[in-house]
Amino acid sequence: MRVSLIQFAAVTDTAENLEVVTGMVTKAAATPASQRSDGHLIVLPEGAMHDFGAPDLPLGPAAQSLDGEFVTALARLAGKVGATIVAGMFEASNDPDRPFNTVVVIGRQGELVARYRKTHLYDSFGYRESARMLAGDGVPVVVPFEGLTLGLLTCYDLRFPELARALVDAGADTLVVPAAWVRGPSKEDHWATLLRARAIENTSFVLGAGQSGPSYIGSSMVVDPMGVVVSGLGAGAGVATADLDPRVIGEVRRRNPSLANRRMPPAS
């Protein structure tokens, strides 16, 4: 299976973002058939539809439903290029001021396969995402794909290992993490360390697709179940591509059966 992580700097104009996404996805999917794997997964960052913007920018007016312009355009694009697309958006809720921070999975036929609403809102490092967004219910969302099972996370969720483990317990062996990882002291190190830790402790692939630009670190990367970065990017826009073999997961889990060896502490 081929995976491509799309890294770009989203703006607060959905039409402009769609134009950039269309060009980058089309280019990423244009690999000659002789070099293609059976399936192609293309992962866009958190906020690919519309950037967070300034901390006081209202996000309710930017939110869309799952049959709105953004998802409809992604569906057409997925069908055109024959790839499955994962992307972050702001999904309209019953609260006109606070949408959900949502990840959608669009299948290669243009169908909406899954939706995940971010569980852990980024109320940290002086930022309060909960002032502008609603949290999801925390129910693990897993998606079968080409011999793998994807588990969906979003950005700050990466700092909570119990959610990644719940996804793995639900069958995930590939954690997909769209992100807009904000710049700051040690933030690049945190991102890389946490991606690799989630891979090692869960003996799973981890796919971290981040926004670039002045506010975010970029640094998208594909990490294998041994914690090795097999493809990655720096701070600028680009595409990180890797071919994943599902058999690697079984091989690593036989050599390092930490999931099978897990012992839970007694209930208090």
Side-chain angles (χ1 to χ4, degrees):
M1 182 198 81
R2 175 151 294 183
V3 59
S4 295
L5 309 182
I6 305 291
Q7 180 169 294
F8 76 106
V11 296
T12 56
D13 183 319
T14 297
E16 185 174 337
N17 291 330
L18 278 171
E19 184 176 353
V20 172
V21 164
T22 298
M24 295 185 76
V25 167
T26 300
K27 184 176 180 179
T31 307
S34 61
Q35 300 178 26
R36 287 281 299 273
S37 305
D38 290 339
H40 196 171
L41 179 70
I42 298 178
V43 185
L44 302 170
E46 177 186 27
M49 182 193 85
H50 185 288
D51 186 42
F52 289 87
D56 59 350
L57 177 69
L59 295 176
Q64 296 185 12
S65 66
L66 296 180
D67 58 0
E69 171 195 6
F70 182 72
V71 173
T72 299
L74 286 187
R76 287 196 300 265
L77 182 59
K80 180 179 179 181
V81 302
T84 294
I85 298 176
V86 179
M89 64 172 289
F90 300 147
E91 180 195 357
S93 73
N94 291 329
D95 183 338
D97 297 320
R98 294 195 298 163
F100 293 108
N101 187 339
T102 296
V103 168
V104 292
V105 181
I106 310 295
R108 65 174 70 184
Q109 302 300 322
E111 72 280 19
L112 178 63
V113 175
R115 169 194 65 192
Y116 166 68
R117 293 168 172 169
K118 186 176 183 181
T119 301
H120 300 95
L121 299 182
Y122 183 53
D123 288 359
S124 188
F125 293 95
Y127 193 93
R128 284 194 58 79
E129 187 177 356
S130 64
R132 296 193 288 164
M133 311 288 290
L134 293 177
D137 58 16
V139 175
V141 177
V142 298
V143 182
F145 181 78
E146 302 292 343
L148 297 170
T149 301
L150 312 179
L152 304 180
L153 300 163
T154 304
C155 201
Y156 191 51
D157 284 334
L158 187 64
R159 292 184 180 271
F160 300 86
E162 58 271 24
L163 181 55
R165 181 54 58 85
L167 288 163
V168 172
D169 285 345
D173 51 32
T174 302
L175 302 176
V176 183
V177 193
W181 202 264
V182 179
R183 288 187 179 278
S186 301
K187 295 296 288 296
E188 289 91 345
D189 185 53
H190 288 190
W191 168 251
T193 299
L194 290 165
L195 288 172
R196 295 185 64 224
R198 298 296 86 84
I200 293 166
E201 70 197 7
N202 292 298
T203 51
S204 299
F205 288 111
V206 177
L207 315 177
Q211 277 208 50
S212 59
S215 298
Y216 309 110
I217 68 167
S219 301
S220 299
M221 64 185 74
V222 178
V223 186
D224 78 7
M226 287 293 289
V228 176
V229 178
V230 298
S231 183
L233 296 168
V239 181
T241 297
D243 289 316
L244 308 186
D245 185 346
R247 294 173 296 183
V248 169
I249 297 165
E251 293 168 2
V252 170
R253 289 180 176 181
R254 282 189 292 272
R255 291 162 53 201
N256 175 26
S258 58
L259 292 175
N261 291 340
R262 181 171 46 148
R263 296 292 180 269
M264 301 300 293
S268 57

